[in-house]
Amino acid sequence: MSLRPLEPSLVPPAEIARRLTLLQQRLQALELDAALVLQNADLYYFTGTVQDGVLMVPAEAPPLFFVRRSLSRAGEEGRIAEVIPYRAYSEIPRLAEERGWRRLARLGLELDVLPVTLYQRLQKAFPAADMVDLSMEIRVLRTRKSSWEVEAIRAAAAISARMAARLAAVAREGMTEVELAAEVEAEARRAGHQGQVRFRRFNQESFYGHLLAGPHSAVPAFLDSPTGGRGPYPAVGHGASFRPIRRGEPILLDLVGACHGYYADMTRTFVLGEAQDEVLRAYAAVRAIWEVARDTLRPGIPAGAVFAAAAAAAADLGYGEIFMRSGEGQLSYVGHGVGLEIDEIPFLARGFEMPLEEGMVLAVEPKLTLPQVGVIGLEDTFLVTAKAAEALTEVPRDLTVLQP
Amino acid sequence: MSLRPLEPSLVPPAEIARRLTLLQQRLQALELDAALVLQNADLYYFTGTVQDGVLMVPAEAPPLFFVRRSLSRAGEEGRIAEVIPYRAYSEIPRLAEERGWRRLARLGLELDVLPVTLYQRLQKAFPAADMVDLSMEIRVLRTRKSSWEVEAIRAAAAISARMAARLAAVAREGMTEVELAAEVEAEARRAGHQGQVRFRRFNQESFYGHLLAGPHSAVPAFLDSPTGGRGPYPAVGHGASFRPIRRGEPILLDLVGACHGYYADMTRTFVLGEAQDEVLRAYAAVRAIWEVARDTLRPGIPAGAVFAAAAAAAADLGYGEIFMRSGEGQLSYVGHGVGLEIDEIPFLARGFEMPLEEGMVLAVEPKLTLPQVGVIGLEDTFLVTAKAAEALTEVPRDLTVLQP
């Protein structure tokens, strides 16, 4: 079975069943009676569909999917046998009780994403329940990708490849970053890009990702990301701008391929005309850091050790001060998990001790910020296997010099 | 002073000063010591920039902008004189106290958008403070647009016009919805579209909006919206799909123009080849409902009365059962506020009693769901003035028949 862009596919029932079983094992271990799942990415993960509803997963009984809308789609796309209409959260305890579910004293919720007032409505609906944060458990469950999920990420990577090819074909001196982005984004859509890119963390947002050129690519921004960019307007505050791209400056393509809900995160660096020696040297260093980081991606290695190895390599190469931004904005970070959200755990960041495991999918994105020149970077999305890291993004990794 | 797409502009200092004064008046009236503002759209509204930080607005003293990053951009783009670096929320009380701010016993926060665990960190940072929900106050403040904001929405409407023109130029029989969207979206970007479209409500999401054709446009979805659509993949669950557009079926262009952080929401209906009588009749009805709704947009009218008038007109015309979806999914709603978020109050919805005021900007979007045919709609973004509603979106409002 193979997943492709442009070919919508339902999540196989066995996928959902396995995920729910793993969640139930965690609920039992934590002595929770049930999980309530509401957020779009998590709902898709555990049901196979995104509807306006609440998935209740009892620790020891089949799940109940309470749906406001759309009931018909919850039934057609979703893999939960019991779909129950409701209008207000306050009805849910009674509806659950009618189906034999009385024991709802300890509930696990996605407290990292649920807004306070929505949470308060849930507390009111379950006045006797003790509500605890289940978000880290869900995020940990989601770190280990199945082969079906890896296929979805490969399909997204095929879109990344189309974006890189399109950039190489159409980039010209004098185009603005946004004009170039328009062409690349349209190609992504024709290739089956889903549009929506989901972040988990509050206030993090991105539109495809970053297409930035020259010194402007080094403009800092609010994001937890090694690139910022001026953005089109202060209200957006990062990403492509209306600045024309000039000959000789690095063009950073850091866009997200996306289909079947999954992402592939990839960065490639291009130059129009001729690359300065400084850029070539920095690119060779980035490539070397990328190799060091890739070679550390093994089951059992703490996520933070990947950052440590990459940072040590950057320092050895004389680029320690401009590795992952510079000055006040420097990050102790070189990558992140990728799946149904673009900012999944584990973070390949200082102090993040979660050990890597087989089946994790991680973006590794070493970047150097050359003052007055711009950001030089290389990023691939890797699958951690028993023996080696397998790159799911497969575009050639050389610095690409284009005709201006 | 006029705002245009493609020309980034800082928010005038007088705008920010006026907004902060109004917020402080509300804080005083509510006997709150200060507001803490964190969410991107609100931060932009009250500071002129989007950075990773916390804006503290004391009820009776100048605001303090605590910024993690980027400090430099907070200073360059933002209009808050006092920008203070911090690393953790727990430092904020001390930093505020050093600047003379001791009285922080009652704080107002955006509890409708702050995630629970983030809120808990703030509670820990201010252990003695009573924290109350200020979100509705902020949302109400934001309903009345200044002339500068109206200019920003006009600029966004210019992008909407470019999208409609592009659709008319390139739509062909057999293109898929996503292929057509790719062309229209690229045109939007070339015209200065900012990319990001912000929703306030949990789990609401949209990528440009909806470009849907034929019966597929009537597929329901999880969104609080009169259209859904199949979407490209179940993981997205709404919007354009890979279904080819056929001759004679209605094509609904419901996309969002966006620049300077502001939106223009507009819908136009197109047909390739020839429109069936059923479509022409429904379109005439939509146009009539649109006129009825527009004529109710007057200061002092409760928002819900606009819905009531539109629904009555739909019923009189024989379309009551398919007005704003049909069956289980039917909405008691005909529009919404538009500004820095696409789902602003007031909602033109049953039971929403907030009176309209001069300066409010509202999208009115009557839509009819013809079974087996599709959704027929017309939507404009209006400015409420003392005398009449002024359409800020100016594309001709006829059903457009295109060569297939």
Side-chain angles (χ1 to χ4, degrees):
Chain A
M1 161 223 54
S2 174
L3 285 165
R4 294 195 186 83
L6 300 168
E7 297 176 11
S9 178
L10 298 181
V11 184
E15 281 282 312
I16 301 289
R18 189 184 46 78
R19 297 169 188 176
L20 288 168
T21 300
L22 290 171
L23 177 60
Q24 289 179 314
Q25 286 171 3
R26 293 304 306 149
L27 294 173
Q28 289 163 22
L30 295 163
E31 299 187 338
L32 291 171
D33 296 324
L36 299 183
V37 177
L38 286 89
Q39 187 244 26
N40 287 348
D42 291 337
L43 265 188
Y44 180 67
Y45 187 74
F46 287 115
T47 70
T49 188
V50 180
Q51 300 307 328
D52 181 357
V54 178
L55 174 69
M56 179 184 287
V57 184
E60 302 183 3
L64 308 176
F65 192 11
F66 298 96
V67 173
R68 271 162 45 96
R69 67 170 161 255
S70 148
L71 281 166
S72 55
R73 289 186 75 166
E76 287 159 30
E77 297 172 1
R79 300 308 196 173
I80 307 297
E82 188 96 65
V83 174
I84 304 158
Y86 81 105
R87 301 307 307 166
Y89 293 148
S90 55
E91 300 166 30
I92 292 179
R94 178 182 52 78
L95 293 168
E97 195 171 326
E98 285 169 12
R99 281 150 188 90
W101 270 102
R102 271 147 231 269
R103 213 184 59 211
L104 296 170
R106 272 175 57 78
L107 301 176
L109 290 91
E110 304 145 298
L111 298 190
D112 67 333
V113 291
L114 293 185
V116 175
T117 53
L118 188 156
Y119 175 61
Q120 289 169 342
R121 276 160 45 217
L122 288 168
Q123 284 181 313
K124 218 168 153 183
F126 296 88
D130 185 17
M131 294 188 165
V132 304
D133 186 15
L134 197 66
S135 57
M136 194 47 85
E137 296 289 334
I138 292 174
R139 292 167 76 190
V140 168
L141 267 186
R142 282 179 36 195
T143 59
R144 291 175 290 270
K145 271 66 181 177
S146 69
S147 57
W148 186 85
E149 291 182 285
V150 172
E151 285 300 304
I153 295 169
R154 280 187 210 280
I159 297 174
S160 300
R162 288 275 298 267
M163 291 194 279
R166 184 70 180 165
L167 184 141
V170 302
R172 293 289 177 274
E173 193 181 357
M175 285 177 98
T176 68
E177 292 168 355
V178 167
E179 284 167 352
L180 182 55
E183 299 305 316
V184 172
E185 291 163 8
E187 180 73 358
R189 289 289 262 170
R190 287 188 290 265
H193 194 291
Q194 70 182 37
Q196 202 71 50
V197 174
R198 293 182 174 120
F199 274 88
R200 189 167 193 98
R201 283 172 301 166
F202 180 64
N203 269 345
Q204 298 294 305
E205 46 191 29
S206 170
F207 184 75
Y208 282 102
H210 286 167
L211 197 165
L212 307 170
H216 169 214
S217 59
V219 173
F222 69 92
L223 290 181
D224 295 335
S225 155
T227 49
R230 180 63 63 189
Y233 306 96
V236 175
H238 65 98
S241 78
F242 305 122
R243 180 182 170 279
I245 300 170
R246 299 191 185 126
R247 182 188 289 251
E249 62 189 21
I251 304 170
L252 196 79
L253 173 85
D254 181 359
L255 300 184
V256 178
C259 62
H260 302 289
Y262 288 83
Y263 307 119
D265 206 353
M266 184 183 90
T267 300
R268 293 293 183 267
T269 305
F270 302 80
V271 178
L272 289 169
E274 201 177 352
Q276 304 161 53
D277 285 349
E278 190 182 5
V279 170
L280 293 171
R281 276 196 306 273
Y283 193 81
V286 159
R287 184 79 192 254
I289 300 163
W290 177 95
E291 282 176 17
V292 166
R294 178 202 58 192
D295 291 344
T296 61
L297 295 176
R298 295 284 179 282
I301 298 291
V306 180
F307 166 71
D316 285 350
L317 292 159
Y319 289 101
E321 312 242 309
I322 60 165
F323 179 59
M324 309 309 282
R325 299 198 191 191
S326 59
E328 57 135 333
Q330 194 167 30
L331 304 176
S332 300
Y333 155 96
V334 76
H336 55 89
V338 175
L340 289 172
E341 288 163 324
I342 196 66
D343 58 343
E344 294 197 355
I345 56 168
F347 300 120
L348 305 175
R350 179 178 293 150
F352 209 94
E353 292 310 312
M354 175 184 281
L356 303 188
E357 292 184 39
E358 230 180 303
M360 283 184 177
V361 173
L362 301 159
V364 176
E365 51 173 333
K367 283 169 185 156
L368 298 176
T369 302
L370 292 178
Q372 276 81 61
V373 175
V375 178
I376 314 283
L378 177 63
E379 174 178 27
D380 285 284
T381 295
F382 291 98
L383 171 65
V384 178
T385 72
K387 290 196 225 153
E390 180 190 350
L392 303 177
T393 39
E394 296 185 295
V395 175
R397 295 188 182 86
D398 299 317
L399 176 77
T400 306
V401 179
L402 304 169
Q403 289 312 305
Chain B
M1 165 220 54
S2 173
L3 285 165
R4 293 194 186 82
L6 300 168
E7 297 175 12
S9 178
L10 298 181
V11 183
E15 282 281 314
I16 301 289
R18 190 184 47 78
R19 297 169 187 176
L20 288 168
T21 300
L22 290 171
L23 178 59
Q24 289 178 314
Q25 287 171 3
R26 293 306 304 151
L27 294 173
Q28 289 162 24
L30 295 163
E31 298 186 339
L32 291 171
D33 297 323
L36 299 182
V37 177
L38 286 88
Q39 186 243 28
N40 287 348
D42 291 337
L43 265 187
Y44 180 67
Y45 187 74
F46 287 115
T47 71
T49 188
V50 180
Q51 301 306 329
D52 180 357
V54 178
L55 175 69
M56 179 184 288
V57 184
E60 302 183 5
L64 308 176
F65 192 11
F66 298 96
V67 173
R68 272 162 45 96
R69 67 170 161 256
S70 148
L71 281 166
S72 56
R73 289 186 75 166
E76 286 159 30
E77 297 172 2
R79 301 307 197 172
I80 307 297
E82 187 98 63
V83 174
I84 304 158
Y86 80 106
R87 300 308 307 166
Y89 294 148
S90 56
E91 301 166 30
I92 292 179
R94 178 181 54 78
L95 293 168
E97 196 172 325
E98 284 168 12
R99 281 149 188 89
W101 269 101
R102 271 149 233 270
R103 213 185 60 213
L104 296 168
R106 272 175 57 77
L107 301 176
L109 290 92
E110 303 145 299
L111 298 189
D112 66 333
V113 291
L114 293 185
V116 176
T117 53
L118 189 157
Y119 175 61
Q120 289 169 340
R121 276 161 43 217
L122 288 168
Q123 284 181 312
K124 218 168 153 184
F126 296 88
D130 186 17
M131 294 188 166
V132 304
D133 186 15
L134 198 66
S135 58
M136 194 46 85
E137 297 288 334
I138 291 174
R139 293 167 75 189
V140 168
L141 269 185
R142 282 179 35 195
T143 59
R144 291 175 291 270
K145 271 67 180 177
S146 69
S147 57
W148 186 85
E149 290 183 285
V150 171
E151 284 301 304
I153 296 169
R154 280 188 211 279
I159 298 174
S160 300
R162 289 274 298 267
M163 291 194 279
R166 184 71 180 165
L167 184 142
V170 302
R172 293 289 177 275
E173 192 181 357
M175 285 177 98
T176 69
E177 292 168 355
V178 168
E179 283 167 352
L180 183 54
E183 298 304 317
V184 172
E185 291 163 8
E187 180 73 358
R189 288 289 263 170
R190 287 188 291 266
H193 194 291
Q194 70 182 37
Q196 203 71 49
V197 174
R198 294 183 174 120
F199 274 87
R200 190 167 193 98
R201 283 172 300 165
F202 181 65
N203 269 345
Q204 297 294 304
E205 48 191 27
S206 170
F207 185 75
Y208 283 102
H210 286 167
L211 197 166
L212 307 170
H216 169 214
S217 59
V219 173
F222 69 92
L223 290 180
D224 294 335
S225 156
T227 50
R230 180 64 63 190
Y233 306 96
V236 175
H238 65 98
S241 78
F242 305 120
R243 179 182 171 280
I245 300 170
R246 299 191 184 127
R247 183 186 289 250
E249 62 190 19
I251 303 171
L252 196 79
L253 174 85
D254 181 359
L255 301 184
V256 178
C259 61
H260 302 289
Y262 288 83
Y263 308 120
D265 206 354
M266 184 183 90
T267 301
R268 293 293 182 268
T269 305
F270 302 80
V271 177
L272 289 170
E274 200 176 355
Q276 305 162 52
D277 284 349
E278 188 182 7
V279 169
L280 292 172
R281 276 196 305 273
Y283 194 80
V286 159
R287 184 77 191 254
I289 300 164
W290 176 95
E291 283 176 16
V292 167
R294 179 201 57 191
D295 292 344
T296 61
L297 296 176
R298 295 285 180 281
I301 299 291
V306 181
F307 166 72
D316 284 350
L317 291 158
Y319 290 101
E321 313 243 308
I322 60 164
F323 178 59
M324 308 309 281
R325 301 197 193 193
S326 60
E328 57 135 332
Q330 194 167 31
L331 303 176
S332 300
Y333 155 97
V334 76
H336 55 89
V338 175
L340 290 171
E341 289 163 325
I342 197 65
D343 58 343
E344 294 197 356
I345 56 169
F347 300 120
L348 306 175
R350 179 178 293 151
F352 209 93
E353 292 310 312
M354 174 183 283
L356 303 189
E357 292 184 41
E358 230 180 303
M360 283 183 177
V361 173
L362 301 159
V364 177
E365 51 172 332
K367 283 169 185 157
L368 299 176
T369 302
L370 293 177
Q372 277 83 59
V373 174
V375 178
I376 314 282
L378 177 63
E379 174 178 26
D380 285 284
T381 295
F382 291 97
L383 170 66
V384 178
T385 73
K387 290 195 225 156
E390 180 190 349
L392 303 177
T393 39
E394 296 185 294
V395 176
R397 297 190 180 84
D398 298 318
L399 176 78
T400 306
V401 178
L402 304 170
Q403 289 312 305

